[in-house]
Amino acid sequence: MPSIITHAAVPLALWCAADRGRIPAWLLAAGVVAAMLPDADVLAFALHIPYADAFGHRGASHSLLFACVLAALAAVWAFFGSGRPWSAVSRQPRLAPTQRGPTLASTVQAAVFVFICAASHPLLDAMTSGGLGVALAWPWSEQRFFAPWRPIRVSPFAPQFFSARGIATLLSELRWVWLPLAGAVVAWKLIQPAPAAPRDLS
């Protein structure tokens, strides 16, 4: 697996690439949690659950179904708990009335954002150089999947993280995760059209 810190790279990149104010703080936090949460299954080792078990490390919590569950929870929170839509109101004319309360679009967008963040975790894990694959298709299949291309150095567990191996892992993640995402964000910003000048209504 990549280190727990690097799993936050995807939600942070999406937040940086989005229009200002489009992704509020609560949703960014939810995305970061969703991107990191699958690795809570390391508790399986303390419970003596085998690594290859469906509920072992990289098992059920690394499935697309788990990502869907987190997305559904985000949608429920966006609809009932956020209190306001987070779709970009900056694109509306200044004199247009601002819609209050949750909307279907904002709810769906929250779910999609959290799903992408959660699903990015097993996809990044599948690109690492060691460990078992990820159970993407659980519960329909317990097969563990790896990506055809696996350039990311697998992260050691906590006791060995602060070592030469841990530093090598961080450098690998910088090269294969952080820098490509940063480049993608910069490229996306550069190709976006400049905002239209406000009309003079006087």
Side-chain angles (χ1 to χ4, degrees), residues 76-124:
V76 170
W77 176 256
F79 191 81
F80 293 105
S82 64
R84 67 179 63 182
W86 59 276
S87 54
V89 297
S90 60
R91 294 182 178 179
Q92 298 178 359
R94 288 189 175 184
L95 298 182
T98 302
Q99 189 176 6
R100 300 294 180 183
T103 65
L104 178 60
S106 65
T107 302
V108 171
Q109 288 171 347
V112 170
F113 177 77
V114 170
F115 175 82
I116 292 173
C117 295
S120 72
H121 185 116
L123 295 180
L124 286 175

Side-chain angles (χ1 to χ4, degrees), residues 79-174:
F79 191 81
F80 293 105
S82 64
R84 67 179 63 182
W86 59 276
S87 54
V89 297
S90 60
R91 294 182 178 179
Q92 298 178 359
R94 288 189 175 184
L95 298 182
T98 302
Q99 189 176 6
R100 300 294 180 183
T103 65
L104 178 60
S106 65
T107 302
V108 171
Q109 288 171 347
V112 170
F113 177 77
V114 170
F115 175 82
I116 292 173
C117 295
S120 72
H121 185 116
L123 295 180
L124 286 175
D125 277 6
M127 296 176 66
T128 58
S129 61
L132 295 182
V134 293
L136 281 175
W138 183 89
W140 298 277
S141 171
E142 293 186 13
Q143 180 181 351
R144 300 296 186 97
F145 296 91
F146 268 123
W149 185 51
R150 298 160 58 188
I152 305 172
R153 188 182 180 95
V154 68
S155 175
F157 291 110
Q160 299 177 327
F161 187 76
F162 297 100
S163 64
R165 184 182 170 192
I167 294 174
T169 297
L170 292 176
L171 291 175
S172 174
E173 293 171 356
L174 178 65

Side-chain angles (χ1 to χ4, degrees), residues 23-100:
I23 300 176
W26 77 265
L27 189 59
L28 174 61
V32 170
V33 170
M36 294 180 172
L37 189 59
D39 272 346
D41 64 6
V42 294
L43 293 175
F45 293 118
L47 299 174
H48 304 291
I49 299 174
Y51 193 163
D53 189 87
F55 294 98
H57 184 47
R58 291 187 173 182
S61 67
H62 286 59
S63 66
L64 294 180
L65 177 63
F66 186 77
C68 287
V69 170
L70 295 182
L73 292 176
V76 170
W77 176 256
F79 191 81
F80 293 105
S82 64
R84 67 179 63 182
W86 59 276
S87 54
V89 297
S90 60
R91 294 182 178 179
Q92 298 178 359
R94 288 189 175 184
L95 298 182
T98 302
Q99 189 176 6
R100 300 294 180 183

Side-chain angles (χ1 to χ4, degrees), residues 10-35:
V10 171
L12 289 174
L14 292 173
W15 178 76
C16 290
D19 294 336
R20 185 177 181 181
R22 187 173 182 86
I23 300 176
W26 77 265
L27 189 59
L28 174 61
V32 170
V33 170

